[in-house]
Structures are given as structure tokens and as C-alpha cells.
């Protein structure tokens, strides 16, 4: 396997890590007014992701940086065409981070409600934009022979791309509910558990639709395998959730997500950004890859830096692994 193909797989892996970690992160934010009925319960929801939300966002930054370093043509083609959803994504992520930090600075209900609204809105908008950009990568954009976009800034709003946005939002909601069932106790856990069981199958439908569209339009024979794995493990996760095996359900959701990512990037290969005007104008791995020297340097940097980052982030999750309940909220936050 040559270095361009290796880095194509690395970028797919980075997207998998981001969607898995930030997926439940977004889901918790979306479910804040649904599962958090009192201030102490909303504080419990926020505390489940408080130590990790900023680290989860690093995966998106690294994915973009890896794309820039290893496939500058892919980076330029995608980011220049999708600059509106990417800009909106950046703004809501900034607002969401500020809301987490400022929510507890003033002890009034009005202040907290305002920042809660920012968290909820940003948590809905962000996965919509992520799904839009990721789907545009898989299904393609109107690119001419020079790799430039044809049409206005809204050409990215196609039905397959909108389906991808809906799929990421649906997965985030289900993943967030599974995470809260795993990380909380008491009333919040019970409501998260009921939410996942009641809406689990409907929330899986957009993901199934996205996979089938990608497979039927661009997929190869072998990509049916990860697609079937994704479907079976997604249903298995709901089955384990039904019997109270929250940890197993959460892991199975990760396996299902891995099947989704492999299916999508398998359908994309050997291109990195298809042209919807003429397949001959699609941007391929070979055409957009950096020089062999650049890829070699980037590979060595990643070989030394990645283990340290993984160990640090893994340690963070290990330290904050226990369940959280309203009894753990200090009186100053429970007032």
C-alpha cells in the first residue's frame, strides 16, 4: 500500500474518531432540554462531557490538517466549495465552547437559560454542517476540468448531502442517549434509556438511507460487507440497550459507525472528491496527493505524535469514567 492510500485511510480513521467522540458530545447538547428537567439534571448532562468536549473537537482539526498536508488538492477543492457550511460550523463550535465556560459565571436562571439555548442550537447545527460536508465529499460537487466549483455557494445543498446531514444528526441523538445511559444515574439515566429504546429504530433510518444511496450510486461489491455489519451492529446495540447493557450498546454503536465510515470511504475510493458534472473531472487520490517527501515527513510526525495524544485522551476518559448523578452536583450549582 503506497503512502497516498495510507493517508486516505488515516483521514477516514480520523473522521471515524471525530464522529464517534463528538457524536455523543453533540447528542448530549441536543438532549439538554429533553432529559434535563431541572437545573441539577442539566448540570449533570453538561458535566458528563465537561472534561472531554474540547478534546473531542481536536479530531476534526487533525482531520482537516491531515487533509491539508497529505492531499492539498482535496483540501482546496472541498474547503473552497463548502466554505459556507464550514464557516457556520466554526462559528457554532466557538459559541458552544463559550457557552460551556460562561454558563456558570452568573447565578441567575435567565443567564443559564440563555447559554443553554446557545448549547442546544449549536449542538443541532454543528452535526448538520458536518454531515453536509462529509456527504459532499462522498457524493461529489459540481467541479469543472480545473477542479473549480461550477455554480453558486448553495450547490452543496443536494438531496444526498441533506440526507447525510440528517443521518449525522440522527446518529448523534442516539449516540448521545446511549452515552448518557452509560454515564449517568437516577432519573436522567432512565429517561436516556427510554429515549434510546423508543426512538432508536427511527433514528437509524436516515443512516440506513445514506448507506444505501452511497452503495447503490458509488459502492463496490466488497462495501456491502461493512454496510451489513453497520446495520446488524446498530440493531444489536438497541437490543443490548433494552436489557440494560449500556456499555455494550455504546461499543456496538461504535462498531456500527465504523461500518458506516468504511462503506462511505470505500464508495469514494479511488477518488477524494467526485465531480457531478463529468466523472473524468473527479479529483483522485493520485492527483491530489502531496509529494512523496512530504508524505514521508508527515508520516514520521504522526508516528511520534499520535500515540501521545491517544494516551492523553484515553487517560482523560479513564479518570472521568464513573457515573454522575444529581447527588454529585455541589449546592452552589443545585440552587
Amino acid at each position: 500500500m503506497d503512502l497516498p492510500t495510507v493517508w486516505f485511510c488515516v483521514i477516514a480513521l480520523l473522521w471515524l474518531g471525530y464522529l464517534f467522540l463528538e457524536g455523543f458530545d453533540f447528542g448530549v447538547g441536543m438532549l439538554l432540554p429533553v432529559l434535563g428537567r431541572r437545573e441539577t439534571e442539566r448540570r449533570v448532562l453538561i458535566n458528563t462531557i465537561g472534561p472531554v468536549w474540547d478534546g473531542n473537537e481536536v479530531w476534526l482539526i487533525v482531520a482537516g490538517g491531515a487533509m491539508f498536508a497529505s492531499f492539498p488538492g482535496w483540501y482546496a477543492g472541498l474547503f473552497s466549495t463548502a466554505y459556507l457550511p464550514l464557516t457556520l460550523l466554526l462559528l457554532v463550535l466557538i459559541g458552544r465552547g463559550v457557552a460551556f465556560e460562561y454558563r456558570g459565571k452568573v447565578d441567575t436562571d435567565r443567564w443559564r437559560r440563555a447559554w443553554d439555548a446557545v448549547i442546544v442550537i449549536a449542538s443541532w447545527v454543528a452535526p448538520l454542517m458536518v454531515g453536509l460536508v462529509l456527504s459532499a465529499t462522498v457524493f461529489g460537487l459540481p467541479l469543472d476540468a480545473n477542479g473549480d466549483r461550477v455554480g453558486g455557494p448553495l450547490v452543496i445543498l443536494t438531496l444526498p448531502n441533506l440526507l447525510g446531514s440528517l443521518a449525522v444528526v440522527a446518529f448523534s441523538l442516539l449516540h448521545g442517549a446511549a452515552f448518557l445511559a452509560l454515564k449517568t444515574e437516577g432519573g436522567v439515566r432512565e429517561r436516556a434509556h427510554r429515549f434510546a429504546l423508543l426512538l432508536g429504530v427511527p433514528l437509524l433510518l436516515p443512516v440506513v438511507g445514506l448507506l444505501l444511496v452511497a452503495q447503490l450510486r458509488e459502492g463496490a461489491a466488497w462495501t456491502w460487507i461493512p454496510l451489513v455489519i453497520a446495520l446488524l451492529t446498530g440493531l444489536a446495540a438497541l437490543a443490548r440497550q433494552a436489557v440494560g447493557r449500556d456499555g455494550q450498546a455504546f461499543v456496538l454503536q461504535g462498531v456500527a459507525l465504523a461500518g458506516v465510515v468504511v462503506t462511505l470511504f470505500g464508495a469514494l475510493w479511488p477518488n477524494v472528491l467526485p465531480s457531478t458534472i463529468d466523472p473524468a473531472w473527479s479529483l483522485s487520490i493520485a492527483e491530489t496527493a502531496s509529494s512523496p517527501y512530504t508524505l514521508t515527513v508527515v508520516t514520521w510526525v504522526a508516528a511520534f505524535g499520535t500515540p501521545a495524544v491517544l494516551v492523553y485522551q484515553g487517560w482523560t476518559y479513564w479518570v472521568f469514567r464513573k457515573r454522575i448523578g444529581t447527588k454529585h452536583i455541589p449546592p452552589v450549582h443545585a440552587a
Side-chain angles (χ1 to χ4, degrees):
M1 185 181 295
D2 57 7
L3 281 180
T5 303
V6 168
W7 274 98
F8 179 81
C9 296
V10 168
I11 291 173
L13 182 62
L14 291 170
W15 272 107
L16 170 60
Y18 177 70
L19 292 171
F20 180 76
L21 296 175
E22 194 83 309
F24 70 73
D25 200 323
F26 290 145
V28 171
M30 287 187 280
L31 292 170
L32 185 63
V34 178
L35 303 183
R37 298 179 179 176
R38 302 191 307 273
E39 169 57 24
T40 50
E41 293 180 338
R42 289 189 289 273
R43 188 71 234 181
V44 167
L45 266 71
I46 293 174
N47 282 5
T48 61
I49 58 175
V52 298
W53 68 264
D54 48 355
N56 295 344
E57 291 181 357
V58 171
W59 287 77
L60 179 63
I61 298 171
V62 175
M67 189 183 297
F68 173 78
S70 55
F71 297 99
W74 184 6
Y75 176 90
L78 178 62
F79 278 53
S80 63
T81 303
Y83 65 89
L84 283 183
L86 286 171
T87 301
L88 183 56
L89 173 62
L90 178 62
L91 292 176
V92 296
L93 288 180
I94 292 172
R96 190 167 177 267
V98 172
F100 283 136
E101 298 297 332
Y102 275 75
R103 184 185 186 276
K105 298 298 183 182
V106 178
D107 188 18
T108 65
D109 291 338
R110 182 178 180 181
W111 176 270
R112 284 190 290 265
R113 283 197 300 268
W115 289 114
D116 284 348
V118 174
I119 293 173
V120 173
I121 293 171
S123 297
W124 277 93
V125 174
L128 281 170
M129 298 302 103
V130 169
L132 192 64
V133 173
L134 181 60
S135 299
T137 299
V138 175
F139 296 116
L141 293 165
L143 303 177
D144 60 20
N146 297 319
D148 299 324
R149 183 191 70 206
V150 176
L154 300 182
V155 293
I156 195 173
L157 299 178
T158 64
L159 288 179
N161 293 347
L162 294 175
L163 177 61
S165 292
L166 184 61
V168 174
V169 169
F171 174 79
S172 297
L173 275 170
L174 184 57
H175 201 38
F179 176 76
L180 289 171
L182 177 64
K183 281 287 295 177
T184 61
E185 57 186 34
V188 174
R189 178 176 181 267
E190 293 173 2
R191 288 193 288 273
H193 192 263
R194 287 199 302 268
F195 181 92
L197 294 180
L198 181 64
L199 296 179
V201 172
L203 290 174
L204 286 177
L205 292 179
V207 181
V208 175
L210 175 66
L211 289 176
L212 291 177
V213 171
Q215 177 64 31
L216 295 176
R217 286 184 51 166
E218 309 290 344
W222 70 268
T223 52
W224 280 106
I225 298 174
L227 188 153
V228 172
I229 291 175
L231 297 182
L232 293 179
T233 51
L235 293 174
L238 294 179
R240 301 313 292 166
Q241 193 99 55
V243 295
R245 298 292 185 175
D246 301 322
Q248 294 178 13
F250 188 70
V251 172
L252 284 170
Q253 284 186 357
V255 176
L257 179 62
V260 171
V261 171
V262 171
T263 302
L264 294 179
F265 278 82
L268 176 61
W269 189 87
N271 294 319
V272 293
L273 193 59
S275 171
T276 57
I277 299 176
D278 188 338
W281 296 342
S282 299
L283 302 181
S284 68
I285 293 175
E287 293 172 341
T288 58
S290 296
S291 66
Y293 176 78
T294 300
L295 291 176
T296 301
V297 172
V298 173
T299 302
W300 279 107
V301 171
F304 283 100
T306 303
V309 174
L310 292 177
V311 168
Y312 171 77
Q313 194 163 24
W315 176 252
T316 302
Y317 278 94
W318 176 257
V319 170
F320 295 100
R321 67 190 182 277
K322 293 184 179 180
R323 292 183 181 271
I324 303 174
T326 54
K327 65 182 181 183
H328 300 109
I329 304 301
V332 67
H333 292 297

